[in-house]
Each structure stands twice: as structure tokens, then as C-alpha cells.
Amino acid sequence: MPHNQFVVTPQRKSEIEQLSIQREVLTLLEKKVLQEVPQQEETRGFYSPLFLRTKPDGTFRVIINLKQLNRYLVKSMPIVWGCWDEASLCSRRHDPDSSGPPTEDGNVEVLGSPLAALCLAFCLVEGKLNQTLVYIGRDCGRELSRPTKPGLSKDHLQELKMELRDYQWEVIGPALEGKNIIIWLPTGSGKTKAALYVAMRHLEIKSNAKVAMIVNKVHLVDQHYSKEFQPHLKDRFNIIAVSGDTEEKSFFANFVKTSDIVICTAQILHNALKSDSEEKHVELTDFSLLIIDECHHTQKDTVYNKLMGAYMEKKLKGERKLPQILGLTASPGTDRASTFENAVDHILTICANLDTWKIMSPKTSIESLVANSKQPKKQYDLVPQRDEDPFGDKVKELMGAIHQYLDDFEYTTEFGTQMYEQNIVLMEKEAAENANRRRRTCALHLRKYNDALFLHDTVKDAYDLLDEFYITERFIKNSRDETDVYLYRLFNDNCGQLLELSRNIKYENPKLKRLEEILKEHFHDSSNAQGIIFTRTRQSTHSLFEWIKSNASLQGLNIKASALTGAGFSNQSKHMTQNEQKDVIQNFRKSVLNLLISTSVAEEGLDIPECNIVVRYGLMTNEISMMQARGRARAQESCYSFLAKFGGKESKRERTNESLEDLMNQAIKYVQDMPEREYEEKIKELQRDSLTERLVKQDKIESKKKFSASDVRLDCRNCSAAVAYGHDLRVVEETHHVNINPNFKVYYEEYTAPVDLGKKMENWVPGSAIRCRFCMFFNTFFVTLLNICSKTFDGSVVAQQYLSNFKTIASLCKTCNNFSSSPPDSILEDVLLILDGTGTREGMKRTFFFVIVVLAERRQNYFLVSVKVRHNFWKK
């Protein structure tokens, strides 16, 4: 309360309690949470400036809602800890024979001993405390110092190694009050740690709380689990990590029920929301807090926005108990806005999609932020273009010859550009739709030549790309088609000259020479450098990796490199499995590797504090990618290098990105300073517009379904031979299309061993890659081996592709009758699951008493912590 209204609090009678209060007051004074009442005041004591706001007349206004606080405390029946060996078993201020909960001023004193647990267990199973359960855990010492409801002390925060900095305390304030916010902090400044503290306090304070940490990349699931949540909170909460390469996704709903914190990819949660399986399906309302990492992706058709779309539909329908939203980002971006107004609209759209009360960034603790989030030094390493480029000229000549063969000269001035690639992809699609095999085949070859020009601009082994492509084409197709024969002959007639030109060091890429100098500067014998080179494509990633391994002048340096690419399957280049990704990232963290050559997969979220050199190698991306890549350089005196051709489009785009970053900062500040009413009205308007837009888009999708499945015929993309009908197909996991017609095997043949996707699928496994039996054309198709059973579907018996295989789960929950003479090692999980409703009331009572009695007989020291369960649980 304001110091001019300070009232003296009566002193406690207990000397122990008085000492405890003095110790806590000193801690709060040190943290500047409390201040002493000025000496000129009549009464002495302390007050907290954190809960005061200055009024125009100079007096103070208290900003804590004591009514809500008292209501919560009464409902929660706080437990008071004690650990005196000579104390009685359990004392209660309310009538022990009463069938209802304690009176409003009552609480329960629980002693740190097995017998006290037995006493509290009796109260539970008899319905005396119908909103509290018991957690049994090993007491590491006699002092039970973890309060279940108040905040952690500074000493305990230091014990958990998560002491927050001033700017982190500032930005999480509204989230601790239950508001939806976006935390906007630079990369490496501790957004995740701030969110972790919010999650911890949320679980401590809120009844039936459950937290979900949502990420957009698989490797971030393991990073947040192993680097943040598990080390800090494993002793207090049940935490689980679920991603596409873990088996837990098959029983997602079961694990959500038994966990306090779930860390998963957004796709896993989205699939669970839409699943009909009892083992997988969850609702958004099962969670009380959603933490969305890299929340700037919550826009357009991303899976983040689909999740928040489901949230928004519930909100606009008036549903309650929606989860609190906490977004984390370093780079909201501008969506390539060309004006300040468009940039503001983009920021407001993200806020509306996340139902954000406010974007939080430091205002009063800027110095603390600057001191703890140093940015790398940026340098432009611009090199001149090649004086001569005979290899590139020769490739363009061959591309011109193919266009002449097609009698099509529309795109012949754009060779080697992204625009040309887009046009060629469109050409191939139109040719396939029109069954024009000649034009379609030429488009595929032109795209590969264009890829070679891209690679030639990056490194120097573009010839190997073309040579491998034609070897594979001849092996798989073995075609005598006129167009195939012409294209093979064209390459064969010129491959010798292309090989000679590609090996001539006179025409070597000047960017490689500058990259070599950068690596020599940072990776010398005595250095402990770690670095990342970002490049455009998977192919250029692997090519740069091979160049570094084979470069004689780099052999003596302390370089331990590896490539890191995406895990998605592609017919254009090799992909990494998720396990391979995980191994590379872990080895980089452990310094087994010290240099990554990566695509954009490592731009966001990769937390390597020792990384001191980041090179963006000829990239032309947006301002978000620039900021994220720059943020990977976290070591002191680190360097961020932009390596590109002088005067090229890449360097111009980088300069533009810097301007867009400034525009983003201005737009965010404008949104933060908007009047509260104006901001709220704009957010509501955008949310209504977004819902209408989704409904219109869904109507358009439905209107496109003009044909029945039986009316749709599927043809080979290459030779146009009919191979299936629409009613032969089913959708697995809302993603994979499967042909269930056993006669389909007549139209294809297998030409590889079983395909390894690098992760385990739920109810199917990939078989061999296949190709058309008539033209030997191949694509990213493979035979799928399914668990199949008969099921009635639309009045007919068909094979069901997506079904639960009813795996047997060894339940951790046991009843008294199933126990052996001694309790199992997993006694904590057993008791929690039993008391959470997985057994009958009588079975739970017998089991719980059995466990406590055994513990008491063994004279083991255990302690209790209260946790919450569903209302009316004991009335079952």
C-alpha cells in the first residue's frame, strides 16, 4: 500500500516465523521489490513500488486486485509446510469429521514424513479435501523450502540457473497477470528463458494448468526440452517432447493428460486437434497456456495460423477457458511492405492473429538489454564478377538450343534466374495437363540446366550435377522416345567441353576465394571458432561442403565441417533425415563439429552461444531471414559477413532488408503507442475479417470439387497413360494419397530398395520407389505398406488406410491387487496416474494406502506437493 497509508502488521508470535520473514524481506529489498517507508513517516515498515501507480494529484493507486486474489486462495486451500520431527501427524483448523472442505480461513498443515502422507491420503479418499491430490517425491534434505503458491526466492532461482535480467522481468509482467502478449526481443537475449519462467509461475498459480510450447521445426523440440525446460523444471513438473520422429505422437492425447508441459511442433498439435482417434485427439481448451516460438509465422496459410484460426473461431463464438497466448519473436518483419502504413498493417495483423493484448519490449531497462545482447559486427564482402564465364555461356547455349527445338523463345533472356525457374515450372505443369510429352520433357531438362547455372554461381562443380542427372535419366528411363534421344545426344556431344571448362581454375568463382580468406581468418590452429555458412539450396550446401573438404589450403586449419539441410523429401536433391539433422546439431553444440554449411533450416532458433562467424553466401531473401541468420552469431566480438557479387541483385536486396528492418522497428513502436481503445477496435476488426476470409476460402475450395471420385482419371505425368481413378485413392494423415486398388501394380514397377524417410510413420511404412511401366518415368512416389482392415465406408466395404494399430501399452497405473511385495521404481508416476482417474475409487484407495505404508515401513524420507485435478473428481 502507499507509504502514506501504511498500517503496522501485528507481529507473529513464533520466533522461527519472524526470522523467516526477516530473511525474505532482506531478499526483496536486495531485488528492489520492497522499499523502506521514509523516516519522516510516523510508522516504520516497507512498501512495494511494483504495485503502485502515480495519480495526477501525486498520490498512489494500488494495481493488484485483492478480491480476485482472496477468491483464489480460498478456493485453492493452500497447504502450509512444516518439517518438525517432534510434531504431531497432522493438524487441521476445520472439523476433521466434516464432509466438506475447510472453512474460508482454514488450511491444512502437512508434515514432511510418510505418516503425514498417510493422514492426508485418508482425507483425500474420504472426500475431505476434494480439490487436492498428493505428489510423492524424495526429500533431498530436511528443509522443505519450496512454497507451492508464492513465487520462488532469489536463492531458488539461482539454484535453477534461471535468474532473470531486468529487461526480462519487464517484458513478462503482463503475461504473469494472464494477458496475451508477444515478447519482442533480439535473438540471443533470453526469450525462451523468460517464457519458461512464465510457464513455471502459470503452473504454480493456476488450477488445472497445462502448458504447450509450440515450435515450427523438429530440432527445436529437442533444443527447448533438453536445454531449457528439462534442466530447470524436471524436479517439479512432468515434461514431454513430441515431434514427428517420436512414437509419442501416436498417443498424443494420453501423454497430454499426464504431462504438465508439452513441447511439440505446431503440425503435431494441429493434427491432434483434427484427429478422430481417441489416443491422439485433444482440444485447445485442454491447455491453459500456449507458448508460440517464432510467432511471426502466424500469418497466411501457415500451420501456426491454422492453430490460431481454431482459437479465434472459439473466441468469436463466445467460448470460455481458452488458453493464454504467449508469442516469442525477434523479427516480426514487414511482409515486404513498401510504405509505413503497410508495415503497421502487417504488425497489427500478427497481433490480431495471436489475439495479442500488447507487444512487449523493454522501455525502462534498455541498458540491461544492450549489455546482454550484443550484436555481431556486420561486413559486406563483395567480390567482382567473373571477367569471363565460358562454362556459363556454354550452358546457356545448350538451353537456347532446347528452346529452338521447341520453337519457343519466350524466356531465352532470363537464363540463370529465379524468374526463369518459375516460368519453366509453369511450362512443365501446363504441358503435363495438356499431355504434351515433348514440351514437358524439355522443361524438366531446362530446369536442371538452370539449376546448374545457380550452382555454378555458388561453387564450381555444376558439371557434376548435370552429369549425374543424365546418368540417372538413362538408367531409369532407358527411353527411345524422340525427345529423350535428342536431349541425351545434345548433352553427350557437349559434355567433354563442359567438363574441361568447369575444371579450368582460370575461371574459378571469385566468391570462393573470398570465402577461403574468411575461413582462414577465423579458423586457425589456436582458435575455438564456430561458424555457419548459409547458402540457397541443398545442392549448393553439399557442393560447398565438398569444396571445403577438398580445398588443400584449408586442410591444415581446425575445420570440422558438416552439411545441414531440410528433412523434407524432394526429387530435386538429397534430403537429410530428422535423425541425421539431430546428430549434426548435437555435434555442433558439443564442438565435435565447428562449421555448418546450411540452408535456411538453421536460421531460426538454433542456440549456439559460442558461434562467432556467420556467412550469408550469395543469398537473396527477406529481412526476417537476414535478422535470424545474423542472430546465430552470439559470441563476443562475433562477425556477420554478407558475401556476394559487387553490384548484384543479392547485395541490393541486403541493403533493402536493412531499410525494412528499420521500418519494422518504427511500425512496432507505433503499434505499441496506439491508444488502447483504438488498438482494441482494430484488432477486433482484423479478427472478424480474418474469419470471414477463411470461410470464403473454404467455400471456394468446396466449390472446386466439381467431380465425383469416379469421374476423375489419373494419368502418368510423362506418357499420359491412364493408371487410376479417383475412387482408388485414400488420404493418410491428411497428407499422403494412397492407391488401394490391388490392380494398380499392373501400371508400375519398383526400381529401388525400400525408401528410408528417416522417421517412423504411424500406421504405414514406405516401400520401394516406383516408375511407370510404359514410359519408365519416375517421380517421388513409392509403394506404401499399410495396416489394412475392412470397414464399412459410405455403404461399401473398403480398405481403411488410416487406423490405429492398437499397440499394447504397458500401463504405469497399477491397483493394489497388481502390486508385488514392494512398490515399483516408478512409484511417483504410478500414484499420479492412479489418482488422476485411471482406476476405480476403491482401487485408488487401496493402492495409495499400500504405497504409503510400504514407504513408512522402509523409513524413507518423502515429502508432499499439492497438485490440482478436475473438479468433482472424488464424487465419481
Side-chain angles (χ1 to χ4, degrees):
M1 64 178 63
H3 54 79
N4 55 6
Q5 302 175 19
F6 189 83
V7 177
V8 178
T9 302
Q11 286 194 348
R12 303 276 184 175
K13 295 181 179 180
S14 168
E15 183 178 354
I16 296 178
E17 289 176 334
Q18 199 67 3
L19 290 173
S20 299
I21 292 174
Q22 291 176 8
R23 183 171 61 249
E24 290 298 323
V25 166
L26 291 175
T27 301
L28 294 174
L29 284 172
E30 183 181 348
K31 292 178 67 68
K32 298 181 180 180
V33 175
L34 291 181
Q35 293 183 13
E36 292 192 45
V37 173
Q39 292 184 0
Q40 61 268 28
E41 297 293 327
E42 295 181 2
T43 54
R44 301 291 296 122
F46 309 92
Y47 71 93
S48 173
L50 297 183
F51 300 100
L52 302 179
R53 288 291 183 271
T54 305
K55 297 166 68 174
D57 60 1
T59 59
F60 296 92
R61 174 171 64 87
V62 181
I63 62 168
I64 185 169
N65 190 334
L66 295 177
K67 181 179 179 181
Q68 292 295 329
L69 179 62
N70 289 331
R71 182 185 304 171
Y72 170 76
L73 290 175
V74 169
K75 182 182 295 185
S76 297
M77 295 178 301
I79 290 181
V80 180
W81 289 101
C83 86
W84 297 275
D85 292 334
E86 68 276 12
S88 60
L89 295 181
C90 184
S91 63
R92 290 180 287 166
R93 294 185 183 177
H94 68 291
D95 182 3
D97 296 326
S98 172
S99 59
T103 57
E104 291 189 359
D105 64 343
N107 49 40
V108 181
E109 291 187 0
V110 183
L111 310 181
S113 71
L115 293 179
L118 179 62
C119 195
L120 182 58
F122 178 79
C123 298
L124 287 171
V125 297
E126 293 300 323
K128 304 297 184 183
L129 307 178
N130 62 0
Q131 291 184 16
T132 307
L133 281 187
V134 176
Y135 181 105
I136 302 180
R138 298 182 185 277
D139 180 12
C140 298
R142 293 300 299 159
E143 185 66 22
L144 299 177
S145 58
R146 297 180 187 174
T148 59
K149 290 293 178 272
L152 294 176
S153 68
K154 181 177 180 180
D155 291 339
H156 202 97
L157 283 172
Q158 289 177 338
E159 177 187 339
L160 295 177
K161 298 181 179 180
M162 56 177 298
E163 174 74 7
L164 300 185
R165 301 185 178 105
D166 290 344
Y167 64 87
Q168 292 171 314
W169 285 113
E170 182 180 350
V171 297
I172 67 174
L176 295 176
E177 298 173 6
K179 292 184 171 67
N180 294 352
I181 65 168
I182 294 174
I183 294 179
W184 175 46
L185 291 173
T187 53
S189 57
K191 294 185 295 296
T192 305
K193 183 165 288 188
L196 187 151
Y197 181 81
V198 172
M200 180 183 68
R201 294 295 293 127
H202 180 87
L203 290 167
E204 290 173 341
I205 293 174
K206 188 174 179 64
S207 176
N208 300 321
K210 195 177 295 292
V211 177
M213 176 79 181
I214 311 300
V215 300
N216 63 328
K217 289 184 171 65
V218 172
H219 69 264
L220 296 181
V221 173
D222 178 69
Q223 175 173 297
H224 288 315
Y225 176 79
S226 59
K227 299 273 289 182
E228 299 287 352
F229 284 83
Q230 183 72 356
H232 293 137
L233 303 180
K234 63 182 179 181
D235 295 331
R236 311 188 65 214
F237 303 107
N238 189 10
I239 309 167
I240 190 169
V242 185
S243 62
D245 60 347
T246 60
E247 294 188 6
E248 286 84 353
K249 66 177 182 178
S250 302
F251 304 97
F252 186 72
N254 297 338
F255 285 104
V256 166
K257 290 177 183 177
T258 58
S259 301
D260 300 306
I261 302 174
V262 179
I263 306 172
C264 66
T265 58
Q267 191 63 55
I268 290 290
L269 180 57
H270 179 64
N271 292 344
L273 292 176
K274 301 184 71 175
S275 174
D276 294 328
S277 168
E278 183 178 347
E279 292 83 5
K280 290 185 63 176
H281 179 73
V282 298
E283 294 286 347
L284 278 177
T285 50
D286 292 337
F287 301 95
S288 54
L289 172 63
L290 292 183
I291 303 174
I292 302 180
D293 193 28
E294 309 296 352
C295 68
H296 53 269
H297 291 297
T298 313
Q299 54 176 313
K300 300 178 181 177
D301 292 325
T302 64
V303 66
Y304 273 178
N305 213 23
K306 292 177 182 178
L307 288 174
M308 288 307 300
Y311 170 99
M312 209 59 61
E313 288 180 14
K314 291 179 179 293
K315 179 188 175 183
L316 295 179
K317 289 178 181 178
E319 291 194 30
R320 299 184 177 183
K321 295 185 179 179
L322 289 173
Q324 178 185 346
I325 305 297
L326 174 60
L328 310 177
T329 184
S331 51
T334 62
D335 197 26
R336 298 187 179 180
S338 57
T339 65
F340 174 75
E341 290 75 15
N342 290 342
V344 169
D345 287 342
H346 171 70
I347 299 300
L348 284 170
T349 299
I350 291 179
C351 290
N353 292 342
L354 289 162
D355 198 28
T356 301
W357 177 76
K358 194 171 184 179
I359 300 177
M360 295 301 299
S361 60
K363 302 295 183 185
T364 62
S365 51
I366 298 294
E367 294 181 359
S368 172
L369 175 63
V370 172
N372 290 281
S373 60
K374 296 185 181 298
Q375 296 299 306
K377 179 188 71 174
K378 183 171 184 177
Q379 62 187 41
Y380 278 87
D381 291 300
L382 303 180
V383 299
Q385 299 191 31
R386 292 182 174 98
D387 295 331
E388 297 179 77
D389 187 14
F391 178 87
D393 294 340
K394 187 63 179 179
V395 171
K396 293 176 182 178
E397 178 187 321
L398 299 182
M399 296 171 74
I402 296 175
H403 276 279
Q404 186 173 4
Y405 175 77
L406 290 173
D407 196 22
D408 181 349
F409 303 96
E410 184 176 358
Y411 311 122
T412 53
T413 60
E414 302 174 345
F415 296 150
T417 65
Q418 289 180 312
M419 182 61 69
Y420 179 81
E421 181 177 9
Q422 294 172 8
N423 289 329
I424 289 301
V425 169
L426 182 61
M427 176 197 291
E428 191 273 337
K429 180 181 178 181
E430 292 174 346
E433 291 174 351
N434 298 323
N436 188 335
R437 180 177 180 180
R438 180 169 180 256
R439 188 173 179 83
R440 185 198 160 278
T441 303
C442 287
L444 288 175
H445 287 247
L446 285 169
R447 184 177 180 185
K448 189 57 64 174
Y449 278 113
N450 202 61
D451 288 344
L453 288 177
F454 278 137
L455 190 58
H456 177 61
D457 188 54
T458 304
V459 284
K460 62 179 183 178
D461 59 351
Y463 172 80
D464 296 335
L465 175 69
L466 291 173
D467 189 46
E468 182 180 346
F469 170 73
Y470 278 99
I471 290 174
T472 304
E473 280 281 297
R474 281 193 290 264
F475 170 75
I476 294 176
K477 284 188 176 181
N478 193 24
S479 173
R480 297 184 181 276
D481 177 79
E482 175 188 344
T483 303
D484 289 326
V485 171
Y486 166 76
L487 293 170
Y488 296 157
R489 185 174 66 246
L490 180 66
F491 179 75
N492 285 337
D493 292 345
N494 293 276
C495 64
Q497 185 179 0
L498 286 171
L499 176 61
E500 181 181 353
L501 292 173
S502 69
R503 299 296 187 260
N504 193 330
I505 60 174
K506 178 181 177 181
Y507 309 115
E508 189 174 32
N509 191 333
K511 286 190 293 188
L512 290 177
K513 184 64 176 176
R514 179 59 189 139
L515 178 61
E516 180 181 317
E517 294 171 355
I518 294 172
L519 294 178
K520 286 181 177 179
E521 178 183 350
H522 290 274
F523 290 88
H524 46 79
D525 292 340
S526 60
S527 74
N528 294 317
Q530 281 192 282
I532 306 176
I533 301 172
F534 288 104
T535 185
R536 177 176 174 268
T537 65
R538 294 176 180 181
Q539 186 62 53
S540 60
T541 297
H542 292 290
S543 296
L544 273 176
F545 173 57
E546 294 298 328
W547 174 80
I548 290 173
K549 285 202 308 182
S550 61
N551 189 305
S553 64
L554 298 178
Q555 295 301 310
L557 302 181
N558 183 33
I559 295 180
K560 297 166 285 188
S562 178
L564 178 64
T565 65
F569 191 84
S570 170
N571 64 340
Q572 293 295 313
S573 58
K574 180 183 178 183
H575 72 287
M576 294 184 77
T577 67
Q578 291 176 351
N579 286 334
E580 289 172 340
Q581 277 187 341
K582 185 177 179 179
D583 290 342
V584 168
I585 292 172
Q586 286 183 346
N587 286 333
F588 190 57
R589 285 202 179 100
K590 297 175 182 177
S591 297
V592 176
L593 299 171
N594 60 10
L595 180 64
L596 295 183
I597 304 95
S598 177
T599 57
S600 60
V601 69
E603 280 182 350
E604 292 187 350
L606 188 60
D607 183 15
I608 309 295
E610 296 79 14
C611 188
N612 63 341
I613 173 65
V614 168
V615 179
R616 295 248 293 167
Y617 189 88
L619 287 177
M620 189 167 67
T621 57
N622 60 23
E623 74 279 10
I624 293 178
S625 292
M626 179 193 73
M627 288 184 280
Q628 290 289 346
R630 182 182 65 204
R632 297 316 110 204
R634 306 218 179 150
Q636 292 290 328
E637 300 181 359
S638 55
C639 175
Y640 168 73
S641 166
F642 183 79
L643 177 55
K645 292 181 293 187
F646 183 83
K649 293 181 179 179
E650 297 88 351
S651 58
K652 293 178 181 177
R653 174 62 64 81
E654 186 75 2
R655 302 284 187 187
T656 300
N657 288 340
E658 292 176 351
S659 299
L660 290 175
E661 183 179 5
D662 293 337
L663 185 63
M664 177 197 75
N665 294 336
Q666 296 171 27
I668 293 175
K669 186 178 186 304
Y670 176 85
V671 171
Q672 289 176 324
D673 295 339
M674 286 178 67
E676 184 176 345
R677 182 177 295 275
E678 178 186 349
Y679 173 82
E680 289 178 354
E681 291 177 353
K682 183 64 176 178
I683 292 299
K684 290 179 181 178
E685 176 188 345
L686 289 170
Q687 289 175 345
R688 289 192 296 267
D689 291 346
S690 177
L691 179 59
T692 302
E693 182 181 342
R694 281 195 297 272
L695 293 175
V696 170
K697 185 178 293 186
Q698 185 62 35
D699 288 341
K700 287 183 178 180
I701 294 174
E702 293 296 328
S703 65
K704 289 182 179 180
K705 298 177 181 179
K706 301 177 181 178
F707 308 102
S708 65
S710 301
D711 295 331
V712 176
R713 190 184 74 190
L714 283 78
D715 297 344
C716 171
R717 192 179 185 92
N718 188 55
C719 68
S720 300
V723 296
Y725 284 93
H727 60 253
D728 296 331
L729 302 183
R730 300 292 183 274
V731 179
V732 177
E733 298 177 0
E734 300 183 0
T735 303
H736 312 286
H737 291 76
V738 179
N739 189 325
I740 64 169
N741 190 337
N743 295 325
F744 179 52
K745 61 184 179 183
V746 175
Y747 301 99
Y748 71 85
E749 63 180 37
E750 302 176 32
Y751 69 94
T752 70
V755 176
D756 180 15
L757 297 181
K759 59 181 180 179
K760 185 175 182 179
M761 313 309 290
E762 263 184 60
N763 298 296
W764 60 279
V765 294
S768 304
I770 63 175
R771 60 188 176 189
C772 175
R773 190 179 293 274
F774 306 108
C775 68
M776 302 302 172
F777 172 70
F778 68 100
N779 208 318
T780 55
F781 303 123
F782 43 82
V783 180
T784 306
L785 308 178
L786 300 167
N787 294 323
I788 296 179
C789 71
S790 294
K791 181 179 179 182
T792 301
F793 182 80
D794 290 339
S796 61
V797 178
V798 298
Q800 181 192 11
Q801 291 76 51
Y802 182 57
L803 53 107
S804 172
N805 55 7
F806 304 107
K807 296 178 181 178
T808 302
I809 308 175
S811 174
L812 291 174
C813 174
K814 302 177 179 69
T815 63
C816 182
N817 295 332
N818 293 330
F819 271 133
S820 59
S821 58
S822 60
D825 293 335
S826 56
I827 189 70
L828 285 82
E829 293 86 354
D830 291 338
V831 174
L832 279 177
L833 284 173
I834 292 166
L835 293 178
D836 199 30
T838 54
T840 65
R841 174 169 171 168
E842 288 304 315
M844 286 186 287
K845 183 190 299 187
R846 291 194 304 270
T847 301
F848 198 86
F849 275 93
F850 176 83
V851 171
I852 299 301
V853 169
V854 171
L855 296 180
E857 289 176 351
R858 292 185 175 185
R859 302 181 180 275
Q860 295 183 10
N861 186 27
Y862 280 69
F863 67 89
L864 309 177
V865 181
S866 68
V867 296
K868 299 300 174 185
V869 292
R870 296 183 298 275
H871 292 296
N872 302 323
F873 170 71
W874 293 104
K875 296 181 182 180
K876 290 185 178 181

